[in-house]
Amino acid sequence: MSEIGLAFRPTTKILFGRKGDVSMATLFLVNVAIVYFCFGTFDYYIENALFEFCQNAYLFASAGLYFVAARRAGDPVSRLFWLALCMFCMSVLFREMDPRGTDLEFLLEPIFDLRLHYVFLGAIWAALFVLSWSYLRLLFGALWQWLFSLSAVLMLLGIVFYTGGDIAEKSFFSGDYMISEMIEESMELLGTLVIFFSAYTALRRQA
């Protein structure tokens, strides 16, 4: 998989340079503080409250960064690879989204009730697969190369945290419903944050 071959503007160098790294470190500390200080106050963990809002924001931002990587890719294999990661983040985002209790409930609830958002995702995944068919061998090579990068390590770590949240939801760590929910949302918050770091790192190494 080739590098993202585009000269970065000065603003991009700021976003993905040392100042960007400091911002990411600060963001990590802020989220750790949120998990520590909010644990025990259940109102932060209900649907579309602080924790779920942050999760959705990180997933959306991750998809956006991978989309930027795809736009800046210098060859079709890299472009398809970054688009696949973008779609992965969007798939997790759609899984997390719940319009109930929001201002958009009247508009989105019928779509979510009929699972039309998954139909939309499935159509895009199918189109991406068709476009990738003639590049499958090269894409597997790109995947193998990416697996040894920091971006991949962070992505896998994020998935582990996120999956741990799903396990916590099934009362694996505690028999108390509220504690299980708080553990679930906390782990998913950290998981989506690390996925965001993965996307940031994918662009950071090009700056």
Side-chain angles (χ1 to χ4, degrees):
M1 180 173 54
S2 66
E3 299 291 336
I4 302 172
L6 185 73
F8 280 69
R9 299 187 181 94
T11 53
T12 309
K13 289 183 178 180
I14 292 174
L15 290 173
F16 297 100
R18 289 187 178 180
K19 291 183 179 180
D21 295 345
V22 171
S23 298
M24 294 301 107
T26 303
L27 184 63
F28 175 76
L29 294 175
V30 168
N31 279 266
V32 170
I34 288 174
V35 171
Y36 179 80
F37 289 109
C38 291
F39 199 87
T41 306
F42 192 67
D43 288 346
Y44 293 118
Y45 298 85
I46 61 177
E47 290 292 333
N48 298 312
L50 175 64
F51 276 71
E52 289 209 345
F53 174 81
C54 291
Q55 292 166 28
N56 292 338
Y58 292 143
L59 289 168
F60 183 78
S62 300
L65 290 179
Y66 279 126
F67 183 77
V68 170
R71 287 289 302 271
R72 295 179 171 185
D75 61 89
V77 174
S78 297
R79 188 172 299 112
L80 289 167
F81 184 82
W82 295 128
L83 282 175
L85 289 174
C86 170
M87 284 304 302
F88 170 77
C89 294
M90 287 301 298
S91 299
V92 180
L93 173 61
F94 276 32
R95 180 180 184 269
E96 281 294 315
M97 289 176 62
D98 187 344
R100 291 175 296 179
T102 68
D103 293 335
L104 296 176
E105 180 176 1
F106 76 98
L107 180 65
L108 295 178
E109 188 173 23
I111 296 174
F112 277 69
D113 286 345
L114 295 173
R115 300 292 192 269
L116 295 180
H117 55 307
Y118 288 126
V119 175
F120 173 73
L121 278 177
I124 296 180
W125 273 115
L128 194 59
F129 179 78
V130 170
L131 292 172
S132 303
W133 182 256
S134 58
Y135 299 103
L136 283 182
R137 183 179 62 81
L138 293 174
L139 282 168
F140 278 114
L143 173 62
W144 179 254
Q145 178 183 344
W146 178 74
L147 285 174
F148 292 94
S149 69
L150 178 59
S151 176
V153 172
L154 291 171
M155 174 65 80
L156 294 174
L157 183 61
I159 292 172
V160 168
F161 270 103
Y162 187 85
T163 304
D166 276 355
I167 295 173
E169 184 183 19
K170 298 173 175 59
S171 302
F172 182 83
F173 300 109
S174 173
D176 184 276
Y177 166 76
M178 294 179 66
I179 293 178
S180 294
E181 285 291 309
M182 289 188 289
I183 294 174
E184 174 203 357
E185 298 299 339
S186 296
M187 294 189 71
E188 289 183 353
L189 173 67
L190 295 176
T192 54
L193 175 65
V194 176
I195 289 173
F196 171 68
F197 288 158
S198 169
Y200 169 83
T201 304
L203 289 180
R204 171 66 175 90
R205 65 177 183 169
Q206 311 301 330

